[in-house]
Amino acid sequence: MSAAYATFGLAPAMRAGGVLANGDFQIHRDFVDFLVDGRPLLFQLSDLDAVSPLASDVPPAIFTAQVRSFLGETDAPLPSGRHVIYGCPECEDLACGAVTAVIERDGDDFIWRDFAWQTEEAVDLQLNGYHGIGPFRFQGAEYRAALDSLLQGADPEGARRRVLLVGARVAVLAKLAAALRTIGIGADITREVGAVHADELRGYGAVVFGRAVTEEERAAVRASFERAGVDVTYVDGLAPIVPLLVAQIEHALDRSPVERRRLTRLVAADGEAAVEVTSPCRVRLTAYRLDRLYRSHAHEVFDGLLEAGRHRIALDAKAVKGESFVVARTSGSVLVGAMVR
């Protein structure tokens, strides 16, 4: 089959979880994405909220079976040699819809072709095919080496989906921990970690400090992680607003290179938000603020498709008065910014 050669690679990716302004929860998923000519294949599907079958939370036997399927060592899971490339991040049910493609061998090469949106066993390429994507021809050695690395334990994802919460307001921390666990992120609460064994500290991907934690206490926590040889991301909580803190933590857990993220910039100032995206995608902006009685308020201020590039979005003055913050979210990225006056 005639198809232009493309490079094949793998990279860690994230479907950002979160507590949405309407109270809904969005599950956090870490997965391995496919790179075609150095760019995430998912980015060619402009507004798709999905993950690859190579997710970190699937059982090892299923993960291995998925890899061997992509290598052509087992039969394709769907009729006509079709494989799920991206599926629903919440339930992975084909009925929710999935991007599928035929994967076949041509000599030493591997070809991915006939990409389509599929919701049942049969697929109508004329009606539901992604006519602008593929076919891609991958050199066999490069393709096999990338996927074989997953079977050998060299998983490029390597994320630690557990966070340590350090603060004085136990009620807020308990609500935050519960929200994180609901979306699939483990959380523990403490005030100091001096007596915690180094092996336990290695399980954390981020440490979150409440606003009441002193500089002395922060330094002691950092010193404990340094003695354990653990490279961890530190998050300074902006305000005791659970959805806002969840968004900060999601950003901290994102290990993907900046150039492979869809959402790369957020600046909130003078009543507007400056946003930059690297590919067409849906962007949602939510404003959070604390009133004079220290009560939190949330307002959805934008929800729409943006083309690649920089955008300036006006914000409702009522939504960002006083001490306020803006969360920008796509399916795979989230950024947080304090409103600058």
Side-chain angles (χ1 to χ4, degrees):
M1 178 182 180
S2 177
Y5 273 107
T7 62
F8 181 85
L10 301 171
M14 179 183 79
R15 190 270 190 147
V19 181
L20 306 183
N22 63 3
D24 290 344
F25 291 92
Q26 185 169 286
I27 298 298
H28 175 104
R29 299 293 301 279
D30 294 303
F31 64 99
V32 179
D33 199 5
F34 309 106
L35 301 181
V36 177
D37 288 333
R39 289 278 293 169
L41 179 59
L42 187 58
F43 286 13
Q44 295 195 35
L45 307 165
S46 61
D47 188 36
L48 184 67
D49 182 14
V51 299
S52 84
L54 306 178
S56 65
D57 55 352
V58 301
I62 296 177
F63 187 93
T64 298
Q66 293 284 7
V67 175
R68 296 198 180 283
S69 176
F70 283 123
L71 287 167
E73 298 176 2
T74 60
D75 292 337
L78 298 173
S80 303
R82 302 193 71 81
H83 298 250
V84 173
I85 307 300
Y86 297 108
C88 174
E90 299 286 344
C91 67
E92 302 178 52
D93 190 336
L94 184 62
C96 290
V99 176
T100 67
V102 174
I103 299 178
E104 61 185 10
R105 295 283 298 275
D106 184 16
D108 288 336
D109 296 339
F110 287 80
I111 295 176
W112 288 21
R113 62 174 175 84
D114 296 340
F115 286 82
W117 178 254
Q118 191 166 349
T119 57
E120 52 189 23
E121 291 292 301
V123 61
D124 185 334
L125 289 177
Q126 188 63 35
L127 182 63
N128 296 314
Y130 285 100
H131 303 293
I133 299 180
F136 303 115
R137 178 184 290 271
F138 304 117
Q139 292 185 340
E142 178 185 60
Y143 182 89
R144 284 190 295 270
L147 289 167
D148 280 342
S149 70
L150 301 181
L151 300 178
Q152 296 164 9
D155 182 350
E157 190 275 318
R160 289 168 287 171
R161 294 187 304 139
R162 194 165 194 84
V163 300
L164 185 64
L165 310 178
V166 184
R169 299 185 64 177
V170 176
V172 173
L173 296 180
K175 291 179 181 178
L176 176 58
L180 290 169
R181 292 165 189 151
T182 299
I183 67 172
I185 299 174
D188 298 310
I189 300 172
T190 188
R191 193 60 193 259
E192 58 88 22
V193 296
V196 179
H197 194 277
D199 289 341
E200 292 186 38
L201 297 182
R202 294 188 182 98
Y204 295 108
V207 176
V208 183
F209 294 118
R211 298 203 294 189
V213 180
T214 66
E215 285 301 322
E216 182 180 2
E217 291 172 318
R218 293 168 192 245
V221 171
R222 291 190 178 96
S224 294
F225 278 92
E226 289 173 2
R227 285 194 298 270
V230 180
D231 182 18
V232 68
T233 302
Y234 296 99
V235 178
D236 293 322
L238 289 173
I241 303 173
V242 169
L244 177 70
L245 294 170
V246 169
Q248 284 191 267
I249 292 166
E250 283 288 339
H251 175 67
L253 293 177
D254 191 350
R255 304 297 185 185
S256 61
V258 173
E259 64 272 15
R260 291 179 184 157
R261 300 179 189 179
R262 275 184 164 160
L263 182 61
T264 57
R265 181 173 179 263
L266 168 66
V267 177
D270 300 324
E272 65 178 18
V275 178
E276 184 172 2
V277 294
T278 59
S279 66
C281 59
R282 178 188 179 191
V283 175
R284 286 175 292 173
L285 297 181
T286 306
Y288 297 94
R289 67 180 180 87
L290 292 172
D291 63 21
R292 289 177 297 177
L293 299 178
Y294 226 54
R295 297 171 301 192
S296 63
H297 302 267
H299 301 271
E300 290 281 4
V301 292
F302 178 80
D303 187 347
L305 291 174
L306 296 180
E307 294 298 319
R310 294 186 176 185
H311 305 267
R312 304 181 79 88
I313 301 169
L315 303 175
D316 185 342
K318 294 181 180 179
V320 293
K321 66 180 181 180
E323 185 180 15
S324 56
F325 313 88
V326 177
V327 173
R329 181 182 297 277
T330 67
S331 61
S333 304
V334 60
L335 290 177
V336 180
M339 177 60 67
V340 178
R341 306 295 174 182

